[in-house]
Amino acid sequence: MLNRLETIKELFPKAQNFRLKQIECAVFDAAISGWEEVTTLPQADRQLLIEKVPWVSYRAAETFGDIEDDVIKALLTLSDDAKIETVLMRNRRGHWSVCVSTQVGCAMRCVFCATGKMGLKRNLTSDEIVDQLRFWQKYLLTNLGDEERITNVVYMGMGEPMNNYEAVKDSLNRILLNTEIGETRITVSTVGVLPRLDQILDDEDWPPVRLAISLHSAQNEVRKQLMPSSYDDFLPKLADWARRYNQKFGNRRHHLTFEYIMLAGVNDSSQAAEALADYVLKIDNVRVNLIPYNASGADYEGSSEETLERFMSVLEQRDVTVTVRRSQGQEIAAACGQLAGK
Ligand code: SAH
């Protein structure tokens, strides 16, 4: 499927590069609300664009929360009535991050995840991914004026990015090309679809953004129970991939992150922490990010603060670099899918 820019190229086959750049630039300019406002273009071109190319790929948007909050969610209704969630978050330093969805629903069926319960409806197009960021750029401009910028994007909303590889890659490249958001400020989170992760290592067009792997357990049986997409030799295969990833991309700016959701009595024992340390220490340049569980159903309970501290200190004693995703609302974003699933 053609993305917006490719459609425009077909519409203006003789257009020079500078003209196409001008158009793509305008698309990412939050001060512009439609083709009629792109005054750098001749009137006839603007008219053709109005008729042929939708300015945004959603047809309705509802926001939850307001600019005073640290977390604002939006439910976007797409052209086929599918609904997706996207989140704007302010972190402690006052920086803005956006969490984007990559699919309507998800086929991975992780047992703790609201989106997993929906099953997969369809992939998003790269425009539909990019437009979640554009939605928030416009929102920030409208609510806070010109001073505020979105500095980070996380691909942690609904869906499994590696199961929508081409659209995700295209969206990454277009964001990198048209915004000031840099490679190390974008994180793609995945359950670890190994054929796609292998593809990244050989793909010249895959940009060196950060990757986070949803590990959630370094114990095979536990991981399989939590994540039905896992299988018996997943963990050794992931470790092998991670070493190859480090050879290609690894340096201090490009560490891998293993995400680990803390579920009471499931994966938060001292043995589980030791197993995680053993696993991580076999790979270089990995950080662990502990995620408090966002209770969407009553299926699981999040670990207590005490347990979390103990789990963390086991890792620290073993010299594993570990951080906790504290409640700047990021765990709320992680539970993306709770609104759209309703
Ligand atoms: N499919 C990708 C990206 C979307 S989920 C992935 O699995 O990584 C983004 C992150 O949120 C993942 O680490 C996921 O495991 C986590 N997550 C899902 N449901 C959650 C919940 N209820 N509470 C906390 N984190 C959750």
Side-chain angles (χ1 to χ4, degrees):
M1 199 175 138
L2 297 184
N3 69 26
R4 187 183 297 115
L5 189 61
E6 289 159 347
T7 310
I8 292 169
K9 278 185 192 160
E10 287 210 334
L11 214 53
F12 302 101
K14 291 198 210 97
Q16 287 174 304
N17 268 340
F18 91 91
R19 181 64 87 198
L20 294 168
K21 273 213 188 87
Q22 224 173 20
I23 296 177
E24 184 86 330
C25 238
V27 164
F28 277 89
D29 183 344
I32 298 179
S33 302
W35 296 119
E36 64 282 3
E37 293 177 17
V38 187
T39 48
T40 46
L41 293 176
Q43 181 62 42
D45 291 0
R46 274 185 261 168
Q47 200 50 45
L48 192 59
L49 286 164
I50 291 170
E51 281 159 26
K52 302 279 186 197
V53 186
W55 176 252
V56 289
S57 51
Y58 49 88
R59 56 172 191 71
E62 193 183 352
T63 53
F64 299 81
D66 62 56
I67 199 71
E68 304 299 319
D69 301 327
D70 289 338
V71 187
I72 309 154
K73 278 197 181 196
L75 196 57
L76 303 183
T77 305
L78 306 176
S79 53
D80 63 349
D81 279 342
K83 289 188 194 315
I84 52 161
E85 264 173 75
T86 176
V87 184
L88 179 68
M89 298 165 279
R90 190 200 331 244
N91 73 15
R92 277 198 219 91
R93 282 173 284 155
H95 293 161
W96 294 99
S97 299
V98 162
C99 174
V100 297
S101 293
T102 56
Q103 297 182 308
V104 183
C106 184
M108 298 293 95
R109 298 198 179 273
C110 300
V111 295
F112 46 80
C113 176
T115 306
K117 297 195 169 60
M118 297 170 64
L120 177 65
K121 303 262 161 59
R122 70 168 171 90
N123 280 334
L124 295 184
T125 65
S126 73
D127 290 323
E128 287 167 336
I129 300 171
V130 164
D131 286 358
Q132 297 169 58
L133 173 62
R134 289 174 62 219
F135 173 80
W136 291 119
Q137 286 175 325
K138 182 95 194 159
Y139 181 91
L140 267 189
L141 182 70
T142 309
N143 287 280
L144 289 179
D146 206 16
E147 295 299 298
E148 303 284 325
R149 292 272 182 287
I150 291 159
T151 55
N152 292 65
V153 180
V154 295
Y155 283 61
M156 296 187 186
M158 303 165 70
E160 169 46 52
M162 288 299 108
N163 288 346
N164 189 12
Y165 185 90
E166 292 299 330
V168 165
K169 178 170 80 176
D170 189 55
S171 71
L172 289 168
N173 285 322
R174 287 168 65 210
I175 291 171
L176 289 167
L177 197 65
N178 295 293
T179 72
E180 288 164 10
I181 304 168
E183 287 154 357
T184 57
R185 303 270 180 181
I186 303 182
T187 303
V188 175
S189 175
T190 171
V191 297
V193 181
L194 285 168
R196 296 287 84 74
L197 290 178
D198 278 336
Q199 192 173 344
I200 283 178
L201 298 183
D202 295 325
D203 188 344
E204 306 258 293
D205 297 328
W206 180 271
V209 294
R210 286 200 168 142
L211 289 177
I213 313 288
S214 294
L215 194 71
H216 303 326
S217 177
Q219 295 169 301
N220 179 42
E221 290 305 321
V222 179
R223 192 173 196 274
K224 281 200 304 185
Q225 179 203 326
L226 292 174
M227 307 174 77
S229 64
S230 202
Y231 42 87
D232 279 339
D233 53 358
F234 175 82
L235 288 167
K237 281 193 164 153
L238 178 73
D240 176 61
W241 172 82
R243 285 182 214 107
R244 285 183 283 124
Y245 175 87
N246 277 332
Q247 276 165 15
K248 175 144 190 211
F249 290 109
N251 56 45
R252 281 194 35 222
R253 297 180 74 207
H254 276 105
H255 56 268
L256 281 171
T257 299
F258 286 167
E259 295 163 282
Y260 198 103
I261 181 172
M262 295 292 293
L263 299 171
V266 177
N267 64 353
D268 63 350
S269 67
S270 296
Q271 293 95 297
E274 295 287 355
L276 179 58
D278 290 342
Y279 186 71
V280 167
L281 291 173
K282 281 191 281 189
I283 312 162
D284 221 19
N285 210 15
V286 175
R287 297 186 186 181
V288 171
N289 188 216
L290 301 178
I291 311 176
Y293 172 57
N294 186 286
S296 58
D299 308 347
Y300 290 91
E301 226 179 283
S303 307
S304 67
E305 186 61 33
E306 235 182 320
T307 309
L308 195 143
E309 296 287 338
R310 182 179 42 71
F311 194 93
M312 210 168 150
S313 69
V314 171
L315 294 175
E316 279 166 349
Q317 270 162 27
R318 304 267 319 261
D319 279 333
V320 174
T321 310
V322 54
T323 52
V324 184
R325 192 178 289 176
R326 287 293 175 192
S327 51
Q328 305 132 25
Q330 297 200 7
E331 78 273 24
I332 298 173
C336 232
Q338 293 178 3
L339 285 175
K342 271 182 196 145

PDB file of all heavy atoms in Angstrom, residues 99-114:
ATOM      1  N   CYS A  99       3.435   7.694  22.915  1.00  0.00           N
ATOM      2  CA  CYS A  99       3.372   6.239  22.753  1.00  0.00           C
ATOM      3  C   CYS A  99       2.440   5.949  21.583  1.00  0.00           C
ATOM      4  O   CYS A  99       1.298   6.414  21.572  1.00  0.00           O
ATOM      5  CB  CYS A  99       2.841   5.629  24.050  1.00  0.00           C
ATOM      6  SG  CYS A  99       2.533   3.850  23.951  1.00  0.00           S
ATOM      7  N   VAL A 100       2.939   5.206  20.600  1.00  0.00           N
ATOM      8  CA  VAL A 100       2.109   4.939  19.420  1.00  0.00           C
ATOM      9  C   VAL A 100       1.739   3.454  19.305  1.00  0.00           C
ATOM     10  O   VAL A 100       2.478   2.571  19.728  1.00  0.00           O
ATOM     11  CB  VAL A 100       2.798   5.387  18.097  1.00  0.00           C
ATOM     12  CG1 VAL A 100       3.021   6.894  18.074  1.00  0.00           C
ATOM     13  CG2 VAL A 100       4.122   4.652  17.865  1.00  0.00           C
ATOM     14  N   SER A 101       0.591   3.219  18.712  1.00  0.00           N
ATOM     15  CA  SER A 101       0.132   1.871  18.390  1.00  0.00           C
ATOM     16  C   SER A 101       0.613   1.513  16.987  1.00  0.00           C
ATOM     17  O   SER A 101       0.809   2.394  16.143  1.00  0.00           O
ATOM     18  CB  SER A 101      -1.402   1.811  18.422  1.00  0.00           C
ATOM     19  OG  SER A 101      -1.882   2.007  19.728  1.00  0.00           O
ATOM     20  N   THR A 102       0.788   0.208  16.745  1.00  0.00           N
ATOM     21  CA  THR A 102       1.236  -0.234  15.428  1.00  0.00           C
ATOM     22  C   THR A 102       0.242  -1.173  14.744  1.00  0.00           C
ATOM     23  O   THR A 102       0.360  -1.463  13.562  1.00  0.00           O
ATOM     24  CB  THR A 102       2.597  -0.955  15.527  1.00  0.00           C
ATOM     25  OG1 THR A 102       2.480  -2.047  16.449  1.00  0.00           O
ATOM     26  CG2 THR A 102       3.680  -0.003  15.997  1.00  0.00           C
ATOM     27  N   GLN A 103      -0.713  -1.684  15.525  1.00  0.00           N
ATOM     28  CA  GLN A 103      -1.752  -2.554  14.969  1.00  0.00           C
ATOM     29  C   GLN A 103      -3.070  -2.242  15.659  1.00  0.00           C
ATOM     30  O   GLN A 103      -3.089  -1.686  16.760  1.00  0.00           O
ATOM     31  CB  GLN A 103      -1.412  -4.036  15.225  1.00  0.00           C
ATOM     32  CG  GLN A 103      -0.138  -4.507  14.552  1.00  0.00           C
ATOM     33  CD  GLN A 103       0.122  -5.999  14.796  1.00  0.00           C
ATOM     34  OE1 GLN A 103       0.107  -6.461  15.934  1.00  0.00           O
ATOM     35  NE2 GLN A 103       0.348  -6.744  13.722  1.00  0.00           N
ATOM     36  N   VAL A 104      -4.177  -2.612  15.008  1.00  0.00           N
ATOM     37  CA  VAL A 104      -5.469  -2.605  15.690  1.00  0.00           C
ATOM     38  C   VAL A 104      -5.580  -3.968  16.334  1.00  0.00           C
ATOM     39  O   VAL A 104      -5.680  -4.981  15.661  1.00  0.00           O
ATOM     40  CB  VAL A 104      -6.633  -2.382  14.699  1.00  0.00           C
ATOM     41  CG1 VAL A 104      -7.951  -2.306  15.462  1.00  0.00           C
ATOM     42  CG2 VAL A 104      -6.410  -1.127  13.868  1.00  0.00           C
ATOM     43  N   GLY A 105      -5.506  -4.002  17.670  1.00  0.00           N
ATOM     44  CA  GLY A 105      -5.444  -5.276  18.380  1.00  0.00           C
ATOM     45  C   GLY A 105      -4.053  -5.870  18.280  1.00  0.00           C
ATOM     46  O   GLY A 105      -3.090  -5.175  17.926  1.00  0.00           O
ATOM     47  N   CYS A 106      -3.942  -7.145  18.590  1.00  0.00           N
ATOM     48  CA  CYS A 106      -2.631  -7.808  18.583  1.00  0.00           C
ATOM     49  C   CYS A 106      -2.846  -9.315  18.600  1.00  0.00           C
ATOM     50  O   CYS A 106      -3.774  -9.805  19.230  1.00  0.00           O
ATOM     51  CB  CYS A 106      -1.831  -7.395  19.821  1.00  0.00           C
ATOM     52  SG  CYS A 106      -0.146  -8.076  19.868  1.00  0.00           S
ATOM     53  N   ALA A 107      -1.985 -10.032  17.888  1.00  0.00           N
ATOM     54  CA  ALA A 107      -2.139 -11.489  17.825  1.00  0.00           C
ATOM     55  C   ALA A 107      -1.336 -12.217  18.901  1.00  0.00           C
ATOM     56  O   ALA A 107      -1.422 -13.434  19.020  1.00  0.00           O
ATOM     57  CB  ALA A 107      -1.717 -11.985  16.443  1.00  0.00           C
ATOM     58  N   MET A 108      -0.546 -11.484  19.703  1.00  0.00           N
ATOM     59  CA  MET A 108       0.409 -12.149  20.592  1.00  0.00           C
ATOM     60  C   MET A 108      -0.216 -12.713  21.864  1.00  0.00           C
ATOM     61  O   MET A 108       0.329 -13.603  22.491  1.00  0.00           O
ATOM     62  CB  MET A 108       1.564 -11.191  20.931  1.00  0.00           C
ATOM     63  CG  MET A 108       2.388 -10.754  19.740  1.00  0.00           C
ATOM     64  SD  MET A 108       3.336 -12.107  18.974  1.00  0.00           S
ATOM     65  CE  MET A 108       2.259 -12.641  17.678  1.00  0.00           C
ATOM     66  N   ARG A 109      -1.350 -12.159  22.251  1.00  0.00           N
ATOM     67  CA  ARG A 109      -2.144 -12.689  23.367  1.00  0.00           C
ATOM     68  C   ARG A 109      -1.393 -12.855  24.701  1.00  0.00           C
ATOM     69  O   ARG A 109      -1.642 -13.821  25.438  1.00  0.00           O
ATOM     70  CB  ARG A 109      -2.790 -14.027  22.971  1.00  0.00           C
ATOM     71  CG  ARG A 109      -3.754 -13.871  21.792  1.00  0.00           C
ATOM     72  CD  ARG A 109      -4.710 -15.039  21.646  1.00  0.00           C
ATOM     73  NE  ARG A 109      -5.626 -14.813  20.510  1.00  0.00           N
ATOM     74  CZ  ARG A 109      -6.779 -14.153  20.586  1.00  0.00           C
ATOM     75  NH1 ARG A 109      -7.186 -13.642  21.727  1.00  0.00           N
ATOM     76  NH2 ARG A 109      -7.536 -13.989  19.513  1.00  0.00           N
ATOM     77  N   CYS A 110      -0.496 -11.955  25.001  1.00  0.00           N
ATOM     78  CA  CYS A 110       0.145 -11.969  26.327  1.00  0.00           C
ATOM     79  C   CYS A 110      -0.969 -11.887  27.380  1.00  0.00           C
ATOM     80  O   CYS A 110      -1.886 -11.070  27.249  1.00  0.00           O
ATOM     81  CB  CYS A 110       1.099 -10.780  26.474  1.00  0.00           C
ATOM     82  SG  CYS A 110       2.418 -10.803  25.236  1.00  0.00           S
ATOM     83  N   VAL A 111      -0.879 -12.724  28.400  1.00  0.00           N
ATOM     84  CA  VAL A 111      -2.041 -12.912  29.270  1.00  0.00           C
ATOM     85  C   VAL A 111      -2.385 -11.698  30.143  1.00  0.00           C
ATOM     86  O   VAL A 111      -3.509 -11.557  30.602  1.00  0.00           O
ATOM     87  CB  VAL A 111      -1.869 -14.152  30.178  1.00  0.00           C
ATOM     88  CG1 VAL A 111      -1.817 -15.421  29.337  1.00  0.00           C
ATOM     89  CG2 VAL A 111      -0.625 -14.026  31.046  1.00  0.00           C
ATOM     90  N   PHE A 112      -1.400 -10.822  30.355  1.00  0.00           N
ATOM     91  CA  PHE A 112      -1.614  -9.667  31.242  1.00  0.00           C
ATOM     92  C   PHE A 112      -2.019  -8.419  30.464  1.00  0.00           C
ATOM     93  O   PHE A 112      -2.195  -7.358  31.038  1.00  0.00           O
ATOM     94  CB  PHE A 112      -0.308  -9.370  32.002  1.00  0.00           C
ATOM     95  CG  PHE A 112       0.886  -9.386  31.071  1.00  0.00           C
ATOM     96  CD1 PHE A 112       1.168  -8.301  30.276  1.00  0.00           C
ATOM     97  CD2 PHE A 112       1.675 -10.529  30.957  1.00  0.00           C
ATOM     98  CE1 PHE A 112       2.226  -8.330  29.386  1.00  0.00           C
ATOM     99  CE2 PHE A 112       2.743 -10.567  30.071  1.00  0.00           C
ATOM    100  CZ  PHE A 112       3.020  -9.460  29.282  1.00  0.00           C
ATOM    101  N   CYS A 113      -2.137  -8.532  29.144  1.00  0.00           N
ATOM    102  CA  CYS A 113      -2.254  -7.341  28.302  1.00  0.00           C
ATOM    103  C   CYS A 113      -3.673  -7.154  27.767  1.00  0.00           C
ATOM    104  O   CYS A 113      -4.279  -8.103  27.251  1.00  0.00           O
ATOM    105  CB  CYS A 113      -1.269  -7.459  27.139  1.00  0.00           C
ATOM    106  SG  CYS A 113      -1.395  -6.103  25.953  1.00  0.00           S
ATOM    107  N   ALA A 114      -4.184  -5.922  27.902  1.00  0.00           N
ATOM    108  CA  ALA A 114      -5.558  -5.634  27.464  1.00  0.00           C
ATOM    109  C   ALA A 114      -5.707  -5.799  25.948  1.00  0.00           C
ATOM    110  O   ALA A 114      -6.719  -6.322  25.471  1.00  0.00           O
ATOM    111  CB  ALA A 114      -5.938  -4.210  27.876  1.00  0.00           C
TER     112      ALA A 114
END
